[in-house]
Amino acid sequence: APENESNESIAMTAPVAIDRKEGDNKRMKFILPSKYDDISKIPQPKNYNKVSIREMAPAVGAVHQFSGAFDDSHCEEKARALAAQLIRDGISLPTGEDGEVELGKVNFEWWGYNPPFTIPMLRRNEVWIELTEEQVNELIGTKGEEASE
């Protein structure tokens, strides 16, 4: 049964996004159907201490698509690989003394597009790393210079 004040069923949408905002605490985000084009149209949850509704600010980032498990270790491995590629492409990201990216200091999410029972090799997953406008311009400038050479 729906757990919102209007008892309205809401269709599942994709992707489901997961991030780590407070240490090891994960936060799951659901993208709502387009009929909820204003925050005032969203039915309020009954369970306020576990579910909150927030309007997300627009953001730009780099994305890598992959198949396989949608678990912490696999997604973090893919986030590290994407971050390493961004560093090779000239983007500054926080790194430790070992030269490895510090994921705890990078805003990243992983997105799952399939139900949990989907066979891992058939899943569509993505990892997203947020980029600042300056980083995007650096990336575009770097790639633009390579193309003109």
Side-chain angles (χ1 to χ4, degrees), residues 40-42 45 48 50-51 56 59 64 69 72 75-76 78 84 94 97 100 106-107 111 113 117 127 141:
S40 65
K41 295 180 181 178
I42 301 169
Y48 291 105
K50 291 187 177 181
V51 178
M56 305 303 296
H64 172 70
D72 293 1
C75 292
E76 286 180 10
K78 296 300 182 179
E97 290 181 18
E100 292 289 315
V106 174
N107 187 15
W111 302 339
Y113 289 83
F117 53 80
V127 62

Coordinates of all heavy atoms in Angstrom, one line a residue, residues 40-42 45 48 50-51 56 59 64 69 72 75-76 78 84 94 97 100 106-107 111 113 117 127 141:
S40 N 5.3 20.9 -5.1 CA 4.0 21.0 -4.4 C 3.0 19.9 -4.8 O 2.1 19.6 -4.1 CB 3.3 22.4 -4.6 OG 3.0 22.5 -5.9
K41 N 3.3 19.2 -5.9 CA 2.4 18.2 -6.5 C 2.8 16.8 -5.9 O 2.1 15.8 -6.1 CB 2.5 18.1 -8.0 CG 2.0 19.4 -8.7 CD 2.1 19.2 -10.2 CE 1.6 20.4 -10.9 NZ 1.8 20.3 -12.4
I42 N 3.9 16.7 -5.2 CA 4.4 15.4 -4.7 C 3.7 15.0 -3.4 O 3.6 15.8 -2.5 CB 5.9 15.4 -4.5 CG1 6.6 15.8 -5.8 CG2 6.4 14.1 -3.9 CD1 8.1 16.1 -5.6
P45 N 5.2 12.0 2.2 CA 5.4 10.7 2.8 C 4.8 10.6 4.2 O 4.8 11.6 4.9 CB 6.9 10.5 2.8 CG 7.5 11.8 2.8 CD 6.5 12.7 2.0
Y48 N 8.1 10.4 7.8 CA 9.0 11.5 7.6 C 10.5 11.3 8.1 O 11.4 11.9 7.6 CB 8.5 12.7 8.4 CG 7.2 13.3 7.7 CD1 6.0 13.1 8.3 CD2 7.3 14.0 6.6 CE1 4.8 13.6 7.7 CE2 6.1 14.5 6.0 CZ 4.9 14.3 6.6 OH 3.8 14.8 6.0
K50 N 12.3 8.6 7.7 CA 13.0 7.8 6.7 C 13.0 8.3 5.3 O 13.9 8.0 4.5 CB 12.5 6.3 6.8 CG 12.8 5.6 8.1 CD 12.4 4.1 7.9 CE 12.8 3.4 9.2 NZ 12.5 2.0 9.1
V51 N 12.0 9.0 5.0 CA 11.8 9.5 3.6 C 11.6 11.0 3.6 O 10.8 11.6 4.4 CB 10.5 8.9 2.9 CG1 10.3 9.4 1.5 CG2 10.7 7.3 2.9
M56 N 16.3 18.7 -6.3 CA 17.7 18.6 -6.5 C 18.1 19.7 -7.5 O 17.5 19.9 -8.5 CB 18.1 17.3 -7.1 CG 17.7 16.1 -6.2 SD 18.3 16.1 -4.6 CE 20.0 16.0 -4.8
A59 N 22.9 19.7 -12.0 CA 24.4 19.4 -11.9 C 24.9 18.8 -13.2 O 24.1 18.2 -13.9 CB 24.6 18.5 -10.7
H64 N 30.1 7.0 -16.5 CA 30.6 5.8 -17.1 C 29.5 4.7 -16.9 O 29.0 4.5 -15.8 CB 31.9 5.3 -16.4 CG 32.3 4.0 -16.9 ND1 32.8 3.7 -18.1 CD2 32.4 2.8 -16.2 CE1 33.1 2.4 -18.2 NE2 32.9 1.8 -17.1
A69 N 27.3 -6.3 -11.1 CA 26.7 -6.1 -9.8 C 26.4 -4.7 -9.5 O 27.2 -3.8 -9.9 CB 27.6 -6.8 -8.7
D72 N 28.2 -2.0 -3.4 CA 29.2 -0.9 -3.1 C 30.6 -1.1 -3.7 O 31.1 -0.2 -4.3 CB 29.3 -0.9 -1.5 CG 28.1 -0.4 -0.8 OD1 27.1 -0.1 -1.5 OD2 28.1 -0.3 0.4
C75 N 30.6 -0.7 -7.6 CA 30.4 0.7 -8.0 C 31.5 1.6 -7.6 O 31.9 2.5 -8.3 CB 29.1 1.2 -7.3 SG 27.6 0.3 -8.0
E76 N 32.1 1.4 -6.4 CA 33.3 2.2 -6.0 C 34.5 1.9 -6.9 O 35.2 2.8 -7.2 CB 33.6 1.9 -4.5 CG 32.6 2.6 -3.6 CD 32.9 2.4 -2.1 OE1 34.0 1.9 -1.8 OE2 32.0 2.7 -1.3
K78 N 34.3 1.2 -10.1 CA 34.0 1.9 -11.3 C 34.2 3.4 -11.1 O 34.6 4.1 -12.0 CB 32.6 1.6 -11.8 CG 32.4 0.1 -12.2 CD 33.4 -0.3 -13.3 CE 33.2 -1.7 -13.7 NZ 34.0 -2.1 -14.8
A84 N 40.1 8.2 -12.1 CA 41.5 8.1 -12.7 C 41.5 8.5 -14.1 O 42.4 9.2 -14.5 CB 41.9 6.6 -12.6
P94 N 40.7 15.4 -5.8 CA 41.5 15.2 -4.6 C 42.1 13.8 -4.6 O 41.5 12.8 -4.8 CB 40.5 15.3 -3.4 CG 39.2 15.5 -4.0 CD 39.3 15.6 -5.5
E97 N 48.3 10.5 -0.7 CA 49.7 10.5 -0.9 C 50.1 9.4 -1.9 O 51.1 9.5 -2.5 CB 50.4 10.2 0.4 CG 50.4 11.4 1.4 CD 51.1 11.2 2.7 OE1 51.9 10.3 2.8 OE2 50.8 12.0 3.6
E100 N 46.2 7.9 -5.5 CA 44.8 7.4 -5.7 C 43.8 8.5 -5.4 O 44.0 9.2 -4.4 CB 44.5 6.2 -4.9 CG 45.3 5.0 -5.4 CD 44.9 4.4 -6.7 OE1 43.7 4.3 -7.0 OE2 45.8 4.1 -7.5
V106 N 35.0 13.4 -3.2 CA 34.5 13.6 -4.5 C 33.0 13.3 -4.5 O 32.5 12.3 -3.9 CB 35.2 12.6 -5.5 CG1 34.5 12.6 -6.9 CG2 36.6 12.8 -5.6
N107 N 32.2 14.2 -5.1 CA 30.8 14.0 -5.1 C 30.5 13.0 -6.3 O 30.6 13.4 -7.4 CB 30.1 15.3 -5.3 CG 28.5 15.2 -5.2 OD1 28.0 14.2 -4.7 ND2 27.8 16.2 -5.7
W111 N 24.1 4.9 -10.3 CA 22.7 4.8 -10.7 C 22.4 3.4 -11.3 O 23.2 2.8 -12.1 CB 22.5 5.8 -11.9 CG 22.8 7.2 -11.5 CD1 22.9 7.8 -10.3 CD2 23.0 8.3 -12.4 NE1 23.2 9.1 -10.4 CE2 23.3 9.5 -11.7 CE3 23.1 8.4 -13.8 CZ2 23.6 10.7 -12.3 CZ3 23.4 9.6 -14.4 CH2 23.6 10.7 -13.6
Y113 N 19.5 1.0 -13.2 CA 18.3 1.1 -14.1 C 17.4 -0.1 -14.1 O 16.4 -0.1 -14.8 CB 18.8 1.4 -15.5 CG 19.4 2.8 -15.7 CD1 20.7 3.1 -15.3 CD2 18.6 3.8 -16.1 CE1 21.2 4.4 -15.5 CE2 19.1 5.1 -16.3 CZ 20.4 5.4 -15.9 OH 20.9 6.6 -16.1
F117 N 16.2 -8.2 -9.3 CA 16.3 -9.6 -9.8 C 16.9 -9.7 -11.2 O 17.0 -10.8 -11.7 CB 14.9 -10.2 -9.7 CG 13.8 -9.4 -10.4 CD1 13.7 -9.5 -11.8 CD2 13.0 -8.6 -9.7 CE1 12.7 -8.8 -12.5 CE2 12.0 -7.9 -10.4 CZ 11.9 -8.0 -11.8
V127 N 28.1 5.1 -13.1 CA 28.7 5.9 -12.0 C 28.8 7.3 -12.6 O 29.1 7.5 -13.7 CB 30.0 5.3 -11.6 CG1 31.0 5.3 -12.7 CG2 30.5 6.0 -10.3
G141 N 38.2 22.1 -23.2 CA 39.4 22.8 -23.8 C 40.5 21.8 -24.1 O 41.1 21.8 -25.2

